[in-house]
Amino acid sequence: MFEARLAQSNLMKKILDAIKDLITEANLEISSGGISLQGMDSSHVSLVALLMRSDGFSPFRCDRNLTLGVNLQAMAKLMKCASNDDILTMTAEDNSDTLNLQFESPAQDKLSEFEMKLMDIDSEHLGIPETEYDAVIRMPSSEFQRICRDLGAGIGGESVTIACTKEGVKFSVTGSVGSGSITLKQTGSVDKPAESVVINMAQPVTLIFALRYLNSFAKATPLSESVSLSMSREVPLVVEYKMNDTGYVRFYLAPKLED
Amino acid sequence: KSQQRNLLSFFKAV
């Protein structure tokens, strides 16, 4: 038996909206630690890793580990039937082929119950090695979203070069219209951590990435006020959105090679 | 032009 009660349906809506365009179906792995998910996009260039720790739910019950194969697009549509502040309760029996979703209004005067069919998903689980990154940049998530949008839509760029030095982080593109760059400097004051740009750097690093993936990752912006970019030469970029202290959505993106 | 790397060349299936 699995049961997880989330105070706000809104969080699950935001998570699904953040990942459903990149991966359309995935296995939700349920264990006593919480709910996790890992999935690659169809071209095997990027990977999503989700963790919702059990302490983010009240209650959370998992008698034995379960793998729930879910069509994320369908689940996102179903979640739209919940109001943002509805209490979400997910339940599944062991060996069940359905996941039950219950939405309860805060005043407890409306109860919606849905049964979602599960599917068998044959997915590869990838081992992600622990990495010491050359540079970790934390910035407001809205700023990251804005930069990705502007460099994509404004210049028509396909690839973005991200160069991190002590001075700051520079995003450059060359596109159909011309070329451009946006540089963010480290902010002096850290009074408001969510509004700061903080660079933790062991050595300068420059990498090239497909901009359209970064724009897709930015759909997770509503999940967190800040985002971190972790970069090392010759390894995938990690874009992480933390959900308070109860979990994260991480996106991994393979770099491009300069010819 | 730059060439897109595949994620599977970095992470192994477990």
Side-chain angles (χ1 to χ4, degrees):
Chain A
M1 172 78 187
F2 157 63
E3 179 181 3
R5 190 166 179 267
L6 192 63
Q8 296 257 318
S9 292
N10 201 19
L11 177 61
M12 186 57 84
K13 290 187 184 198
K14 288 178 187 173
I15 289 171
L16 291 167
D17 284 341
I19 65 178
K20 70 177 169 47
D21 295 332
L22 214 54
I23 47 171
T24 53
E25 45 193 51
N27 284 321
L28 291 178
E29 304 289 349
I30 316 291
S31 70
S32 54
I35 301 174
S36 64
L37 170 158
Q38 194 196 77
M40 268 188 293
D41 75 285
S42 56
S43 52
H44 294 177
V45 169
S46 70
L47 179 142
V48 180
L50 161 72
L51 176 66
M52 300 175 81
R53 275 188 278 273
S54 54
D55 57 9
F57 299 91
S58 181
F60 185 91
R61 176 183 164 191
C62 169
D63 298 338
R64 65 154 85 167
N65 292 0
L66 295 177
T67 298
L68 308 177
V70 169
N71 180 319
L72 298 172
Q73 308 247 0
M75 188 169 176
K77 270 188 201 164
L78 235 166
M79 283 304 305
K80 295 211 189 305
C81 303
S83 297
N84 287 345
D85 57 356
D86 278 358
I87 300 158
L88 164 68
T89 305
M90 296 178 281
T91 53
E93 299 295 332
D94 296 346
N95 302 318
S96 171
D97 56 2
T98 56
L99 172 66
N100 301 306
L101 300 171
Q102 190 187 84
F103 313 136
E104 192 180 357
S105 64
Q108 298 183 316
D109 54 359
K110 181 179 175 187
L111 181 69
S112 312
E113 293 176 291
F114 296 93
E115 218 177 62
M116 188 176 70
K117 284 184 211 156
L118 298 174
M119 50 204 294
D120 281 323
I121 299 171
D122 197 16
S123 80
E124 254 179 326
H125 197 86
L126 297 182
I128 299 166
E130 283 287 320
T131 307
E132 287 287 326
Y133 287 96
D134 290 338
V136 178
I137 304 139
R138 203 185 71 229
M139 68 173 80
S141 59
S142 56
E143 189 65 80
F144 177 65
Q145 182 180 45
R146 178 80 201 261
I147 288 170
C148 294
R149 193 190 66 199
D150 290 350
L151 293 178
I155 289 291
E158 280 180 20
S159 301
V160 59
T161 301
I162 306 180
C164 186
T165 63
K166 267 187 300 194
E167 284 71 44
V169 53
K170 184 175 183 180
F171 300 79
S172 334
V173 299
T174 301
S176 50
V177 174
S179 62
S181 71
I182 298 171
T183 304
L184 287 184
K185 290 181 182 168
Q186 184 156 221
T187 40
S189 101
V190 286
D191 294 348
K192 294 175 180 170
E195 293 172 22
S196 310
V197 176
V198 179
I199 298 171
N200 282 307
M201 198 191 72
Q203 58 178 322
V205 55
T206 299
L207 288 165
I208 307 170
F209 299 102
L211 193 52
R212 69 184 182 90
Y213 284 96
L214 297 183
N215 267 309
S216 181
F217 302 164
K219 287 176 184 166
T221 303
L223 281 172
S224 179
E225 284 187 308
S226 62
V227 61
S228 69
L229 312 183
S230 301
M231 303 205 301
S232 274
R233 206 171 306 167
E234 279 297 294
V235 301
L237 166 77
V238 189
V239 179
E240 182 182 56
Y241 295 84
K242 277 201 165 80
M243 303 179 288
N244 297 322
D245 290 324
T246 63
Y248 56 74
V249 174
R250 288 182 189 150
F251 299 98
Y252 295 82
L253 178 60
K256 287 180 138 191
L257 268 186
E258 212 163 7
D259 281 348
Chain B
K1 266 292 191 193
S2 47
Q3 188 197 335
Q4 178 65 60
R5 302 272 307 265
N6 191 303
L7 208 58
L8 295 169
S9 59
F10 299 98
F11 299 153
K12 298 226 164 19
V14 288

